[in-house]
Amino acid sequence: MTRAFLGLGSNMGDRMGYLEDAVAAMDDCVAVSGVYETDPVGGPDQGQYLNVVVELDTSRSARGLLELCQALEASAGRVREVRWGPRTLDVDVLWVDGETVDKPDLVVPHPRMFERAFVMVPIGELAPDLFEGWSDPDTGGCHRLGDWDEFAPRTGKGIS
């Protein structure tokens, strides 16, 4: 089994519902960060995101995790129209212990994770070893709303 981290975000419709459904569908989830509301980065004008980071103890490869991410996005009705545009659900492979990938459709570790407070702040709750040495010159409007348990009681996966 391998430790891996996925980043989840939503800024359309039932934002928390999309995150909750995605986490509930991950049978290898062992921890979920707190829930953060964040300003969008790049793209057109759009609403704020809810973001979490999920820790998995998984037998899936980075490629298998990408397939899981795409399936979760599809189940949330994600439509890709504008790069960095609004979305019902965005799920990214952030980190897979011991695995590095550099392909056109998948880069692990995620190429921009260390530039984004909405990834690094929640991942720091779960994996201080990945957070160590990171400094954010501007938090980018990343505000912790509370523990996962407070916002997602129906999943049964409310691990903070």
Side-chain angles (χ1 to χ4, degrees), residues 48-66:
Q48 290 190 309
Y49 281 83
L50 288 184
N51 290 98
V52 297
V53 169
V54 174
E55 180 178 353
L56 306 175
D57 189 19
T58 187
S59 60
R60 298 173 202 245
S61 66
R63 176 71 48 198
L65 289 169
L66 176 62

Side-chain angles (χ1 to χ4, degrees), residues 11-12 41-44 46 49 78 81-88:
N11 77 338
M12 291 179 64
V41 175
Q46 56 190 301
Y49 281 83
R78 174 161 180 189
E81 293 178 344
V82 177
R83 183 173 187 194
W84 295 332
R87 57 205 83 166
T88 55

